[in-house]
Amino acid sequence: MFQPPYPPGLPIGPDWVATPSTTPVRFPYDASEVAQAPVGTVELARRAIDEAVAVKKAAATLSSRARRQILTTAADAITARREEFEELLVAETGKPLVDCRVEVARTIVTLQASAEEVARLHGETVPLDLLPSGDGMIGYWTRRPIGVVVGIAGFNYPLLLASHKIAPAVAAGCPVVCKPAPATPLATLWLVDVFRKAAVDAGAPAALVQLVTGDVEVGSALVTDRRIGAVSFTGSSAVGHQIARDAAPTKTLLELGSNAAMVVAADADLDAAVDAALRGGFYASGQACISVQRLVVQESVAAEFAAKLADRLGEVVTGDPRDEKTRVSALIDARSTRRVLDWVDAAVSAGARVVSGGGVDGGVIRPTVLADVPSGVSCWDDEIFGPVVCLRQVSTVEEAFEVVNDSRYGLNASVFTRSLATAHQAIEELEVGAVVVNEVPGFRSDTMPYGGVKDSGSGREGPRFAIEELTVTRMAVIRPS
């Protein structure tokens, strides 16, 4: 059992508040109990917003020095206990240890980079004398905090996704209320505790960072409160669209689902492409928005690519996520596992064939490669969020790009090629938020402007870009007397 290093209850206002009930958090691999987690209510959500509004002015007037100190102190605290965070993430998400190590490392980078961006948060002067009426006048603009931020994170990367909400908000001078996914609240609670202690050490109110757990009603109470300045959400497209409707006209930043494609051109390094498909298709057990789902391969090399992929699929070790060798483990819950298996069965019934893998071993879906998956089935059209990749042949690179774009999603995509012309063509033509050349589409630096188009969302994450999203410009126009 995990023994929380933070107080019981929820971090609301200056203290931790008791909740009416708790619920078990279970280890997805064997369903054993990890810990009891507090369950929030609509009333507690409203109280958290009240507290955030009460400290909004104090947050907005925090010095750059204080905001940077909070972020660096939090980064140092997580670094000092990174192995404990890694173990907790394995326990509550069921993700393999190797992926949880990456999550903690990326969280630390996010906090450090956000601290650095505090010094770059400034405006600039504006020439007003382009019109005669502006002669002799002075103009400049500054960036001001947008106000209270509500951050809602998905279950698959609970620590990292929460840091993508909290760190930019603190850097911008905004109070933030975070809501983790019901299945994975523990690491986020610890993260918030770290931030609150860092805030108090820097002379800021603890209520600068708060957290409320709970169901859809709790989330609705948070995003529909007209006193908030912005909602930042990471999760499914359907939920993101509902949040945008409910929150309007409040600003919403949406990092939603995907159906990431990887194009393998005829001139590609096939061994490198196969390696990328293995790494990109199955990390986090496939529960990542930019894991490889669609492999679009030119037909002249498709047979060789498929053979190489099948030969190496055994390298993707399945089993206990606590084992350093494991790459695929149990999904977050039994319902998710059943859904993925049903989607695979439906694809096969529609004409797809299983190249390798398939089925379940000890509750873990075997890494699966499907070929000839038609459009119109979920395995090809939707986000599978499991260890399944789909292979399709095309005649030309141009056809491959058309296939990639024929999707309601547009987060990341990649192309493997030795041709600089093909690489630039991909960058110009692919309708996605990021094009990655000769790497997995899931390659991501937490300092890049991350986000998608179409049903993959709106707005951008990454410290510099998210901080700007959580500010508004204020223009100053002065006519000296």
Side-chain angles (χ1 to χ4, degrees), residues 432-466:
V432 293
V435 176
V436 183
V437 180
N438 293 332
E439 249 300 346
V440 293
F443 176 83
R444 175 177 175 181
S445 167
D446 291 285
T447 56
M448 65 191 281
Y450 180 76
V453 298
K454 299 190 282 190
D455 272 5
S456 288
S458 60
R460 291 295 180 265
E461 292 189 339
R464 171 188 167 189
F465 309 95

Side-chain angles (χ1 to χ4, degrees), residues 27-29 89-103 155-157 277-293 313 316-333 336-341 343-344 359-369 383-389:
F27 181 33
Y29 183 65
L89 286 169
V90 172
E92 70 172 335
T93 69
K95 286 206 313 281
L97 176 59
V98 63
D99 299 310
C100 294
R101 286 174 174 165
V102 171
E103 179 174 359
F155 72 82
N156 55 332
Y157 282 80
L278 292 171
R279 288 184 290 114
F282 304 112
Y283 76 96
S285 303
Q287 296 175 120
C289 56
I290 42 181
S291 62
V292 176
Q293 184 170 334
L313 201 61
V316 184
V317 177
T318 63
D320 192 325
R322 295 166 294 193
D323 189 327
E324 292 192 357
K325 297 179 181 178
T326 297
R327 294 297 178 269
V328 170
S329 191
L331 301 187
I332 188 66
D333 54 34
S336 297
T337 300
R338 185 68 264 160
R339 176 188 57 76
V340 172
L341 294 173
W343 283 17
V344 170
V360 180
D361 185 6
V364 177
I365 297 175
R366 299 185 190 94
T368 303
V369 179
E383 182 177 37
I384 195 163
F385 234 57
V388 179
V389 296

Side-chain angles (χ1 to χ4, degrees), residues 274 297 301-311 353 355 369 371 391:
V274 167
V297 186
V301 294
E304 183 180 0
F305 177 85
K308 287 177 176 286
L309 184 62
D311 286 345
R353 57 187 176 87
V355 174
V369 179
L391 177 64

Side-chain angles (χ1 to χ4, degrees), residues 191-203:
L191 174 70
V192 168
D193 182 52
V194 164
F195 261 100
R196 287 165 66 89
K197 290 175 179 175
V200 171
D201 287 347

Side-chain angles (χ1 to χ4, degrees), residues 98-327:
V98 63
D99 299 310
C100 294
R101 286 174 174 165
V102 171
E103 179 174 359
V104 175
R106 288 179 58 189
T107 298
I108 294 168
V109 167
T110 296
L111 304 192
Q112 293 171 336
S114 296
E116 294 174 3
E117 290 297 330
V118 170
R120 303 186 182 102
L121 190 60
H122 53 76
E124 60 185 53
T125 58
V126 178
L128 299 181
D129 56 358
L130 294 173
L131 290 173
S133 59
D135 287 350
M137 297 183 69
I138 299 167
Y140 65 90
W141 59 267
T142 60
R143 287 195 174 274
R144 303 298 301 158
I146 201 169
V148 176
V149 174
V150 170
I152 303 178
F155 72 82
N156 55 332
Y157 282 80
L159 186 70
L160 178 62
L161 297 179
S163 75
H164 285 169
K165 318 304 180 190
I166 296 171
V170 170
C174 299
V176 56
V177 179
C178 191
K179 181 185 178 299
T184 55
L186 303 176
T188 313
L189 277 163
W190 193 356
L191 174 70
V192 168
D193 182 52
V194 164
F195 261 100
R196 287 165 66 89
K197 290 175 179 175
V200 171
D201 287 347
L208 178 67
V209 183
Q210 302 177 85
L211 183 147
V212 182
T213 55
D215 55 17
V216 173
E217 285 73 23
V218 169
S220 179
L222 292 173
V223 305
T224 58
D225 195 306
R226 294 282 73 83
R227 296 173 293 171
I228 65 174
V231 177
S232 179
F233 170 76
T234 300
S236 72
S237 297
V239 175
H241 296 165
Q242 186 63 52
I243 286 175
R245 289 190 290 268
D246 291 347
T250 301
K251 183 176 186 177
T252 54
L253 308 173
L254 306 174
E255 198 272 277
L256 307 178
S258 184
N259 185 336
M262 189 177 101
V263 173
V264 182
D267 63 352
D269 180 335
L270 292 188
D271 289 328
V274 167
D275 182 73
L278 292 171
R279 288 184 290 114
F282 304 112
Y283 76 96
S285 303
Q287 296 175 120
C289 56
I290 42 181
S291 62
V292 176
Q293 184 170 334
R294 293 179 294 160
L295 291 167
V296 186
V297 186
Q298 274 195 263
E299 58 188 7
S300 60
V301 294
E304 183 180 0
F305 177 85
K308 287 177 176 286
L309 184 62
D311 286 345
R312 292 188 56 192
L313 201 61
E315 298 174 16
V316 184
V317 177
T318 63
D320 192 325
R322 295 166 294 193
D323 189 327
E324 292 192 357
K325 297 179 181 178
T326 297
R327 294 297 178 269

